[in-house]
Amino acid sequence: MIGRIMPDAGILSLLLGSWIASQGQALELTYPNEPGLTAVEAAWGGFTVPFVRRGDTWLTLVGVDLDTQAGEHPVEITFHYGDGRSRMQQEPLTVKAQQFPTTELTVEDRYVELSPEDEARARAEGQETADIYATLTPEIYWSEQFLAPIPGATDGRNFGHRRVFNGQPRSPHSGADLRATTGTPIYAANRGRVVLAKDLFYSGNAVFIDHGLGLYTTYLHLSRIDVEPGAIVERGQRIGLAGATGRVTGAHLHWGVRVVDARVDPFSLLKIGVQ
């Protein structure tokens, strides 16, 4: 088993047979094709993730969630052959601890002390998005490297920060906040299928794109949505305009990435190449 060595060792490196990644990072796993090999799967994070063959290489993506415990974790790789044989091997993945600071924010009270109606809405929308993340499309829609949704953006703010809203602790920030004024065009990070495009209680106007293999990108707090659920969008296609809808302190774009339900820094995705 081999892994592609990335420019940033925090993303993925192969050292003496071990993968090393920081909390909150996306990883690309690759394996060279061999005669008779018909399928490859990786067991990670409670999911079985298929590899997809491209040319002479099998590849897939996994993610190290920002709350994954630091230390060594086994990744089970299963190889299936045309003659009915299967074999499994374990590859160690070493997760490095990442320090995430705490951010205190002040928002409208209605987003902290919820009314019964808002609480029911937020709970239902939370289940809806959880069901989306739990769906793994066994194919890849993209064929090129990923782009930041705002041209020229090289990093974001607040990924992984432990947040305190109006003095009350909340879940970690699972995306990167990109600076943007209301009306800034927002573009799809890569080719994929729109699986959600509507107003959500916390997220405001939101677009979720399924790129295949359990990889989803999300674009939140938009002032306008320009795509419909079910549509196939292309890499760099405009999907809406930045805004300040939902639970926000001002206009910006929240760009999120889930890889097989793991919350990862979206900018780690930009370092993932293709064969």
Side-chain angles (χ1 to χ4, degrees), residues 4 29 42 45 69 92 104 114 116 153 170 179 183 195 201 228 256:
R4 176 181 296 170
L29 309 183
Q69 184 176 358
E104 297 190 11
L114 273 60
R170 289 295 187 266
R179 293 179 176 83
V195 291
F201 178 71
E228 297 289 339

Side-chain angles (χ1 to χ4, degrees), residues 47-65:
F47 289 84
T48 298
V49 187
F51 283 64
V52 172
R53 182 178 174 181
R54 286 206 164 159
D56 293 330
T57 301
W58 294 84
L59 66 89
T60 196
L61 296 181
V62 297
V64 177
D65 187 80

Side-chain angles (χ1 to χ4, degrees), residues 54-217:
R54 286 206 164 159
D56 293 330
T57 301
W58 294 84
L59 66 89
T60 196
L61 296 181
V62 297
V64 177
D65 187 80
L66 59 87
D67 279 338
T68 297
Q69 184 176 358
E72 189 171 287
H73 300 262
V75 183
E76 293 185 353
I77 311 294
T78 303
F79 306 91
H80 301 280
Y81 298 87
D83 60 7
R85 290 182 300 121
S86 294
R87 67 179 178 89
M88 188 273 286
Q89 66 187 55
Q90 285 193 348
E91 299 288 343
L93 168 60
T94 300
V95 176
K96 297 167 58 179
Q98 181 77 22
Q99 296 299 316
F100 298 112
T102 297
T103 299
E104 297 190 11
L105 301 166
T106 301
V107 297
E108 290 183 54
D109 288 340
R110 67 181 292 253
Y111 290 109
V112 179
E113 301 291 344
L114 273 60
S115 68
E117 295 79 12
D118 286 341
E119 184 174 359
R121 177 188 174 187
R123 186 183 303 112
E125 291 174 351
Q127 185 60 55
E128 180 181 12
T129 57
D131 290 343
I132 288 174
Y133 292 138
T135 301
L136 196 155
T137 302
E139 61 180 295
I140 290 178
Y141 289 121
W142 78 91
S143 61
E144 301 177 83
Q145 288 184 287
F146 282 77
L147 301 170
I150 297 177
T154 57
D155 59 23
R157 298 169 294 159
N158 303 337
F159 173 78
H161 285 207
R162 312 298 167 173
R163 300 176 300 171
V164 178
F165 284 103
N166 297 6
Q168 298 188 29
R170 289 295 187 266
S171 59
H173 191 249
S174 59
D177 287 343
L178 277 62
R179 293 179 176 83
T181 58
T182 297
T184 299
I186 303 302
Y187 302 96
N190 219 323
R191 187 172 188 271
R193 181 172 60 88
V194 177
V195 291
L196 183 147
K198 68 177 185 180
D199 174 61
L200 301 176
F201 178 71
Y202 286 123
S203 304
N205 291 326
V207 172
F208 286 40
I209 299 176
D210 177 7
H211 300 282
L213 290 185
L215 170 60
Y216 293 87
T217 56

Side-chain angles (χ1 to χ4, degrees), residues 1-3 13-20 72 89-94:
M1 187 66 185
I2 64 172
S13 61
L14 187 64
L15 299 173
L16 301 178
S18 297
W19 286 311
I20 301 174
E72 189 171 287
Q89 66 187 55
Q90 285 193 348
E91 299 288 343
L93 168 60
T94 300

